Amino acid sequence: MKKSDEPVVIDTSQVQGVLLSGHGKLNDARFILLRIDEPLAAKKWLADVRPEITNGHHRPEDEAVQIAFTYAALVELGVPRQTRAGFSVEFEEGMTAPHRSFMLGDSRESAPENWEWGGPKNEPVHILLMLYGKGPTELEALVQRHRKLATDGGLSVVIERETHTLFDGIGYREHFGFRDGVAQPRMDAVPSHELAHRRGAMREDAHGNTIKAGELLLGYENEYGHYPVSPAAGIDESRSLPEKTYGRGGFDLGKNGTYLVYRQLEQDVYGFWKALHDKVGGDSKDRDYVAAKMVGRWPSGAPLVKAPDHDTPGMELDDSFSYISDPKTADPHGEKCPFGSHIRRSNPRDSILSPDVDRAIQLSKRHRMVRRARPYGLPVDEKFRSEEVIEKGSDGASRGLNFICFNASIARQFEFVQHTWCNSPKFAELHNDPDPLIGEQTRLDPKGGDFTIPGQPVRRRVTELQRFVTTKGGAYFFMPSLAAIEYIAKVRDMTPLQKHVAFFDTDNDGIISIGDTYRGHRRLGISQFYSALFSMIINFALFFQTKGKFMQIKVENIAMGKHAFDTGIFDDDGMLDEKVFDELFSTATGASGEPSDEDVITRPEMNAFVTAGGDRGRPNPGGLPHWFSQRETELIFCLASDAKATVDGKDEPAITRRTLKDFYRGDLFPKIERLLAYKRVGGFGL
């Protein structure tokens, strides 16, 4: 752990560049969502495309390439289960899990069943390929090349999302016409490369707008003083990952990576302005005033706490304000910038969360995100004039926002803000006031939500607001570091023999200590005595053979520790020879005909099976190996007996061919832990 006075240094050569800067000079972009069809070919494609991934060292002038993966993609690409277990639950479950859809307000027209991509009725999305170009021509050439590389590399295009910036000469706008992307947090860290320090998320800023690196990147301390949950690899064949210096060890797959949230948000621009126009009785000045109150800024970007009554030139990119602590902008009652406005509820700064201003800022920092959103579709009016939008009417065109944000904790940052602050109709002691732009308006009242403008002597309330933003697609992604991309491209799923023992590697550091072995046996329901006994025997027998330290088994080298009864079933690399397995099973049981998953083997037959599992023609070694083989057989029967067989007129426990094969494939122990952990059977104190 670093001392508080030591600056945190970020290796910007490992961080994908879009997190540090949104590639604003590259006006055009295409987000390509891909499906993995052939995992091996896709891994080669990933290795080939890795050198083109844009890192944070340099500001790209012509083009940029970024990449991110869903949890399902990591499964397809063979990232081991033990390594994937280090990812967050929300990333694994995905955006469309029913309880997450509820939290995010994805109901009715925004329900995942109605999405264009990412929903349960759509093709699976595995990879997000983000391509940026300085102009349409450059972008199209980049897209054509990468589309061909992807389709030739075992991938299929699910959907492509066109996107661009809406630059007005000063900054960027979104389709409702308001300035966007002004308020961004900065990392309290220094870059390993000086160029990154002058821009984007690495720019120096006031204390109230700087957050710990661990709020955005895995592998660093966050605002709680802890490290975010981060995946670790027990084996790194790429030799590219750094060792994990916190937590339980292993190789740090998460470091310098981040979680990316992508939501396609369709905007009803005409519906928004027409609704406000009707609710204020057609008064254009009042319409724009109410719209500004809903957003918290004027369309130009001027913040309401500094310009509460009318738009003010020169404040377009102004983000230097607070709601409580600065006397010049103090707005404790929300009379300048309403509590329910979009920018105040999505980033409360020093208000609402605590009467102690410093504490309020600290709490607010724990829910900040870096946003890299880009619009899609053409604007209704190029100058973003509300009166022109109303006059033109609805053109039926598709337009909206490709919302993208980065955070180290999807649950604590993105989901918390969306659910607790934006979707809550009771935010800041309001009544029926969800976020007027992105909130779920009908959660409490089917007629719609309200928006309250505090004032003296009385407040003003706009009622029965409908939804003007509809979710059309979305997914959670992991955007890895450059080193992690190399690992993913080269990782092999564990061999069956490695899987078999990796169950005991409880901290996933590639080393099985005697304590790991003991805890693994206990997770299988084995008594303390036998867990301790087996742990001492197993670790003593295998530490030397696997080249581990004293009483420590090295998972990577477990194939070197095959005992004499395994060698005919596993090859020298630890791969299961299923043909040999079926041959030995049929010989031991006397089964004839085609092998069936439902064939069973009894305890005496199992002893014959295990004994015959040595190199054929090799004599039974006897002694301790033979004794241990018999104990292993009894243990397997205690844990995995799933059938009965008649022996001498009596029903005896038996194991099906399917279950025994799961044991040799390395898949059985996790199943036993999940399904039989609380089932007590005879033998070994179970």
Side-chain angles (χ1 to χ4, degrees), residues 17 23 31 65 68 156 235 238 332 353 359 494 559 570 634 654 679:
H23 304 320
F31 298 157
V65 179
S156 296
I235 301 172
S238 71
L353 297 174
R359 176 65 174 160
M494 289 184 173
F570 293 108
E634 294 179 20
K679 181 178 179 180

Side-chain angles (χ1 to χ4, degrees), residues 114-190:
N114 300 321
W115 288 2
E116 296 175 0
W117 63 272
K121 296 182 179 179
N122 307 122
E123 293 182 61
V125 168
H126 293 138
I127 297 174
L128 170 62
L129 185 64
M130 309 168 76
L131 306 176
Y132 299 81
K134 68 178 182 180
T137 303
E138 292 83 357
L139 175 64
E140 191 56 36
L142 186 67
V143 168
Q144 292 286 355
R145 183 164 64 85
H146 276 279
R147 188 189 293 131
K148 186 175 190 308
L149 287 173
T151 53
D152 288 349
L155 299 144
S156 296
V157 175
V158 175
I159 197 167
E160 295 186 11
R161 297 289 80 180
E162 165 274 333
T163 182
H164 51 261
T165 62
L166 294 176
F167 187 68
D168 65 358
I170 298 176
Y172 302 102
R173 303 270 191 134
E174 48 75 44
H175 280 294
F176 289 142
F178 289 84
R179 182 80 56 212
D180 194 27
V182 178
Q184 298 277 21
R186 313 297 178 188
M187 279 193 285
D188 185 13
V190 296

Side-chain angles (χ1 to χ4, degrees), residues 27 31 81 101 108 167 204 310 433 511 543 547 646:
N27 183 67
F31 298 157
R81 174 183 57 82
S101 293
R108 301 191 181 190
F167 187 68
E204 293 183 80
H310 51 79
D433 294 47
I511 301 296
F543 85 87
K547 299 183 178 180
T646 302

Side-chain angles (χ1 to χ4, degrees), residues 70-92:
T70 62
Y71 184 85
L74 301 178
V75 175
E76 290 288 331
L77 292 171
V79 176
R81 174 183 57 82
Q82 291 86 351
T83 300
R84 299 196 312 270
F87 286 103
S88 66
V89 173
E90 59 271 20
F91 172 61
E92 179 179 355

Side-chain angles (χ1 to χ4, degrees), residues 18 38 85 187 298 315 363 576 632 667 669:
V18 69
E38 301 172 38
M187 279 193 285
W298 293 95
M315 296 185 180
L363 293 173
L576 175 66
E632 185 177 44
D667 295 332
F669 287 165

Side-chain angles (χ1 to χ4, degrees), residues 503-504 506 514-528 530-536 538-539 628 635 639 669 686:
F503 173 81
F504 298 91
T506 53
I514 193 168
D516 289 336
T517 310
Y518 174 82
R519 285 187 290 272
H521 281 89
R522 292 293 291 150
R523 283 158 56 203
L524 295 173
I526 299 172
S527 70
Q528 293 180 355
Y530 279 103
S531 293
L533 177 63
F534 287 150
S535 300
M536 289 186 287
I538 292 170
N539 282 63
F628 186 76
L635 177 61
L639 293 174
F669 287 165
L686 294 180

